[in-house]
Amino acid sequence: HGSIRRYVLNLTTPDPVLREIFQDLRFRQALSLAIDRDEINDTLYFGLAVPRQHTTPSFTTFYEDWIGEYYAQYDPAAANALLDEMGLTRSSDGYRMRPDGQPLVVEVADATASGQLSEMVTSFWQDIGIRANLRTMTRDLFSERTLANDVEISVWFGDVVDEFNLRRMPEVILY
């Protein structure tokens, strides 16, 4: 009913150029459009999963059908168009450049033992010119780096977005 994993961009990353790129909605939309969820489903889940966006399960009271499909279709041409629109040009090696002239390289931190999935996701991102370096790490290191705001893109479990947890979130934040 929920998602297996979620890929979360750090919108407060200390790198000001990368922060501006991450905060541009078009970049996040492009990364989503670049993921071939059907191929992931066929390769890793024997066609038994339901390819969709990371969101609340469909049985929650506030779920609407469009949510699971929002930018979840595989469309690398549209992803590339969004990145081009942002001005993220390609160098001679086919990879994108940041506005400051440096190569656009992102680190994907994964402590969830989802190596094959993350390898596929980062490979799809490479196909649209985003150098994505996958770093698997222990949960302790992941927690330490996340709390220090030293993670650019994090991978975490996606199965906790249910009505109960969402409705109790304010309690967690207040305490």
Side-chain angles (χ1 to χ4, degrees), residues 136-148:
T136 56
M137 57 189 67
T138 65
R139 286 192 186 188
D140 288 342
L141 180 58
F142 180 86
S143 294
E144 179 182 314
R145 288 192 57 203
T146 301
L147 291 172

Side-chain angles (χ1 to χ4, degrees), residues 9-122:
L9 281 68
N10 179 0
L11 302 181
T12 64
T13 184
D15 180 330
V17 176
L18 199 55
R19 183 181 330 124
E20 187 174 330
I21 291 169
F22 283 4
Q23 289 179 356
D24 190 319
L25 178 61
R26 296 172 295 182
F27 186 76
R28 299 189 309 273
Q29 291 169 334
L31 291 184
S32 185
L33 290 169
I35 299 171
D36 189 340
R37 291 168 175 84
D38 289 327
E39 183 177 331
I40 290 170
N41 184 27
D42 291 341
T43 303
L44 300 180
Y45 303 106
F46 308 104
L48 300 175
V50 177
R52 57 180 238 153
Q53 191 61 266
H54 169 71
T55 185
T56 185
S58 57
F59 57 78
T60 56
T61 59
F62 47 85
Y63 182 83
E64 296 177 14
D65 289 336
W66 67 270
I67 297 172
E69 299 170 9
Y70 186 73
Y71 285 89
Q73 67 275 21
Y74 176 58
D75 192 343
N80 278 307
L82 288 166
L83 297 173
D84 292 343
E85 185 180 302
M86 289 178 63
L88 300 174
T89 59
R90 289 182 186 256
S91 64
S92 60
D93 65 3
Y95 286 101
R96 303 255 174 202
M97 302 297 290
R98 296 164 29 138
D100 62 1
Q102 297 298 313
L104 176 54
V105 181
V106 297
E107 180 182 271
V108 179
D110 187 344
T112 66
S114 58
Q116 289 178 315
L117 174 62
S118 290
E119 286 172 10
M120 290 183 77
V121 169
T122 56

Side-chain angles (χ1 to χ4, degrees), residues 140-159:
D140 288 342
L141 180 58
F142 180 86
S143 294
E144 179 182 314
R145 288 192 57 203
T146 301
L147 291 172
N149 199 29
D150 187 33
V151 171
E152 294 172 352
I153 300 177
S154 62
V155 182
W156 199 245
F157 301 97
D159 59 350

